Amino acid sequence: MRWVESGDVRLWLVEEGDPARPTILLVHGYPDTHRVWDEVAGLLRDRFHVVRYDVRGAGRSTEPADHAGYTFDHLAGDLSAVLDAIGKPAVHLVGHDWGSLQCWDAVTRPGIRERVASLTSFGGPGLAQAYRFMREGSRGEVAGQRARSWYIGVFQAPVLPETAWRTFMPAVLERSMRVRDGIEPRPGHPADTLARDGVNGLWMYRLNMGAGLRPRHTDERGDPVVDVPVQLIEATRDPFVSPALLASLGRWAPRFWHRRVVAGHWAQRGRPDVVARMIAEFVDHVEGAEPSPGLRRARRVAGSPAGRTPEPGRAFEGKLVVVTGAGSGIGRATARAFAAHGAEVVCADIDEPAAVRTVEGIVKDLGGTAYAEQVDVSDAARMEDFARRVRAEHGVPDIVVNNAGALVAGAFLDHSVEDWRRMIDVNLWGVVHGCRLFAAQMVERGEGGHIVNIASLAAFTPSVLLPAYSASKAAVKMLSDCLRAEVAGQGIGVSAICPGFVSTGIARHATYVGVDLREVSVEAVARRGYPPERVAAHILRAVHRDQAVVPVNAEGKLGYAMSRLSPGVTRGLARLSKAALRLGRPRPHGTGSRP
């Protein structure tokens, strides 16, 4: 700990870790101090040289003699003085909130940008880049960001903001941290100097938010381009910065990585483990290491229009998707659909050659990236090995589609215990294993995700022909509802997809007990003519819109509506379905027709 002189102020500097290792310089925001970084610094200091300081007028640092001393020029001068004190050719900058704003400005300034190896930004855009977004973004997106930035106008008013900070604002801030971010105040954050820091920092808004928005350090075309590698960490629950504004920042950074953490404004307090991991992975990569799978997929191409959503066909660019039962039918169609929309896909199936064929089709037909895996979803130990292997080789998946399933058809009294066991093991336990293992990975990673469970029309429409299958699919739907409620707070969505009759091979490969309905079933499904590709489209839409229950095709939607509006009618129709048993060929009691 030491003082650094910068003009007429003294800056309080804190250093941890081995100075011989790469240096990470953490710059705090408003109205914080260097103590907001305590948790992150504690996680990084064993591997890096970690430096923090209180910006002018905050914490232990002194304030300038005049309010005019809070311009970006003065803040850049402070950063330059800190870099001089560190004494290294280059450091890795990490900025949050106003710390992020001043870092974006600093890395465009000659004399500083040459001394910055990388920039990690969260909680605040570059003002010059934000200026271009406000000029060129769509009306709706610009209006949305203006609504989030309401406080900037309030801070311009005389006297009132100062009075608020000296009276009730510290208590309001602490309550906001608890309610909105889910974090508890602790010693050092908010700081004991909060009221004074809040008053002093108002001048950063008053002096920089007008002219400061206009680019001053630009390239030859007048664009606010940043030459250093930039990692943007988007806190998905930050109420102050819109996703559209953050996405537009990649336009100005040729080397740009965009990552997300499920957290509020103070992500370094809410999920310090995730923030520290992302910083470390990025610094390691800039220093020469291979990128982690998550960092590799986070790389974005500069030059996309500001504030625009991904172009059609690439909506899942940078996502890792796991699909079970991907060797055929709905699973194969879903794997291909995600790959066509830019995702990397792990295609898993109990039939490894079938999974390989799906991968070969994705690579040859779509030019996509996919990997084949063999797994029996009903086997807990093998599923655990599979989940570990996916994480080790490809990273934590963003989307998991639990699709693998089996079908036993016939009357309840013709089902054996083994028939029931098979239905529960594959259709229910397979989904349970997939949800349990991959949801745990997603929660730990802290970046959100989505789980899709393939249920069925049979989940809410009883049938004499499918007692075990219907029971297993009803359980899948309820499991999905329960899990959705549990993990919603972690930014993880869960969807239950409930198709009606789909033209796949499930009828041909089913087990029939009591009577052999194979020929009738295969013909009926073929005549229905509903391709699995249309189910896949519903799955992608469900993920994009975070839909809870998605009935698919006419009979699926009608059955779902009837189950909610008139359950008695669905039970009556179930009794009528008994007539279908007379269409099949009788078989000896208790035996099954195997595929």
Side-chain angles (χ1 to χ4, degrees):
M1 300 179 184
R2 53 183 166 135
W3 294 101
V4 174
E5 304 291 334
S6 178
D8 64 343
V9 302
R10 302 178 73 205
L11 306 172
W12 181 246
L13 188 76
V14 177
E15 295 183 79
E16 300 170 273
D18 185 353
R21 294 179 175 176
T23 296
I24 296 175
L25 176 56
L26 305 172
V27 187
H28 70 80
Y30 171 84
D32 299 322
T33 71
H34 78 278
R35 294 292 305 279
V36 74
W37 295 108
D38 282 0
E39 292 86 355
V40 169
L43 293 168
L44 293 173
R45 64 191 176 200
D46 290 340
R47 294 189 53 222
F48 302 97
H49 177 223
V50 182
V51 182
R52 302 175 274 165
Y53 70 100
D54 289 335
V55 303
R56 57 176 52 211
R60 296 190 62 180
S61 293
T62 63
E63 55 200 69
D66 187 270
H67 290 154
Y70 286 97
T71 67
F72 270 131
D73 289 338
H74 291 92
L75 295 172
D78 293 346
L79 181 59
S80 183
V82 169
L83 293 175
D84 290 341
I86 294 172
K88 283 193 171 182
V91 304
H92 299 272
L93 278 182
V94 180
H96 171 248
D97 189 81
W98 257 96
S100 177
L101 270 63
Q102 65 169 294
C103 286
W104 276 92
D105 172 78
V107 296
T108 65
R109 293 174 178 259
I112 294 182
R113 64 187 177 200
E114 299 86 0
R115 304 163 73 183
V116 176
S118 72
L119 167 62
T120 293
S121 161
F122 66 104
L127 287 189
Q129 292 77 16
Y131 172 77
R132 292 292 291 268
F133 170 81
M134 301 302 279
R135 285 183 55 195
E136 301 170 10
S138 71
R139 288 184 180 180
E141 290 165 345
V142 170
Q145 181 55 53
R146 288 189 184 279
R148 290 171 179 257
S149 303
W150 60 269
Y151 59 93
I152 295 176
V154 174
F155 287 170
Q156 306 300 320
V159 182
L160 182 60
E162 283 88 345
T163 302
W165 276 116
R166 292 181 177 122
T167 54
F168 62 87
M169 271 303 295
V172 170
L173 182 68
E174 289 193 9
R175 177 175 174 79
S176 176
M177 289 169 54
R178 288 190 179 98
V179 174
R180 190 178 58 209
D181 280 36
I183 57 177
E184 288 293 325
R186 56 149 171 81
H189 186 247
D192 294 338
T193 55
L194 176 60
R196 170 249 190 185
D197 300 344
V199 170
N200 287 338
L202 291 170
W203 291 98
M204 292 190 296
Y205 287 92
R206 292 167 176 170
L207 295 173
N208 298 296
M209 282 299 189
L213 276 172
R214 295 184 178 275
R216 290 177 295 172
H217 304 282
T218 61
D219 64 6
E220 62 277 5
R221 295 177 300 179
D223 292 333
V225 174
V226 173
D227 292 330
V228 303
V230 176
Q231 174 180 229
L232 173 69
I233 300 177
E234 177 183 343
T236 60
R237 293 174 181 160
D238 191 332
F240 304 119
V241 189
S242 70
L245 171 56
L246 293 176
S248 75
L249 298 178
R251 178 183 180 186
W252 312 113
R255 291 172 289 173
F256 186 75
W257 289 257
H258 187 172
R259 309 181 80 175
R260 292 175 176 84
V261 55
V262 180
H265 181 68
W266 285 279
Q268 70 271 57
R269 288 284 326 276
R271 288 305 303 264
D273 55 330
V274 178
V275 172
R277 171 175 57 81
M278 289 180 174
I279 293 171
E281 289 177 353
F282 190 55
V283 170
D284 284 341
H285 177 52
V286 173
E287 291 287 327
E290 286 295 316
S292 67
L295 183 62
R296 175 176 56 82
R297 283 189 291 271
R299 182 72 187 266
R300 297 293 181 265
V301 177
S304 60
R308 297 293 188 266
T309 55
E311 61 181 288
R314 310 302 293 180
F316 293 96
E317 184 81 47
K319 302 296 185 183
L320 177 66
V321 181
V322 171
V323 182
T324 65
S328 62
I330 294 173
R332 179 171 59 193
T334 300
R336 289 178 62 89
F338 273 115
H341 283 74
E344 291 183 22
V345 187
V346 177
C347 302
D349 202 285
I350 193 170
D351 182 351
E352 186 173 15
V356 170
R357 287 192 294 272
T358 298
V359 168
E360 290 173 345
I362 288 173
V363 174
K364 179 181 178 180
D365 302 338
L366 306 173
T369 302
Y371 317 94
E373 291 281 352
Q374 192 278 331
V375 68
D376 179 355
V377 298
S378 68
D379 189 314
R382 291 185 180 180
M383 279 294 287
E384 289 176 359
D385 289 341
F386 169 63
R388 282 193 293 266
R389 194 162 59 249
V390 168
R391 181 171 189 166
E393 296 178 6
H394 311 294
V396 176
D398 301 287
I399 301 162
V400 173
V401 182
N402 292 305
N403 164 75
L407 174 64
V408 175
F412 171 80
L413 295 179
D414 291 321
H415 277 60
S416 67
V417 171
E418 185 56 37
D419 293 328
W420 275 93
R421 183 175 291 113
R422 183 178 178 223
M423 286 295 89
I424 300 302
D425 283 351
V426 177
N427 292 352
L428 179 56
W429 272 114
V431 174
V432 170
H433 295 323
C435 289
R436 179 176 62 88
L437 296 167
F438 288 112
Q441 290 186 9
M442 292 177 181
V443 169
E444 180 184 354
R445 181 183 63 167
E447 299 176 40
H450 205 99
I451 295 173
V452 177
N453 296 327
I454 306 302
S456 169
L457 162 68
F460 39 76
T461 304
S463 169
V464 170
L465 300 174
L466 303 170
Y469 181 81
S470 297
S472 67
K473 292 300 185 179
V476 167
K477 179 186 175 299
M478 182 54 69
L479 166 64
S480 302
D481 288 340
C482 294
L483 182 60
R484 181 180 177 89
E486 179 175 340
V487 298
Q490 305 291 335
I492 301 170
V494 181
S495 299
I497 309 298
C498 303
F501 301 110
V502 182
S503 299
T504 68
I506 190 169
R508 181 178 301 106
H509 299 124
T511 296
Y512 295 89
V513 297
V515 294
D516 190 351
L517 296 169
R518 188 181 311 281
E519 292 182 8
V520 174
S521 300
V522 170
E523 181 181 357
V525 169
R527 292 178 65 181
R528 175 63 179 88
Y530 196 90
E533 288 75 16
R534 295 183 66 180
V535 181
H538 280 278
I539 291 172
L540 269 64
R541 190 177 302 116
V543 174
H544 181 70
R545 298 178 179 176
D546 190 20
Q547 295 172 296
V549 180
V550 183
V552 177
N553 62 26
E555 60 271 22
K557 295 175 182 178
L558 179 61
Y560 185 58
M562 292 299 295
S563 70
R564 295 169 64 86
L565 298 175
S566 184
V569 172
T570 63
R571 289 191 288 270
L573 292 173
R575 289 192 292 271
L576 293 177
S577 69
K578 188 174 182 179
L581 295 173
R582 294 194 291 269
L583 300 176
R585 298 193 305 271
R587 301 189 60 81
H589 182 74
T591 65
S593 171
R594 303 291 168 180

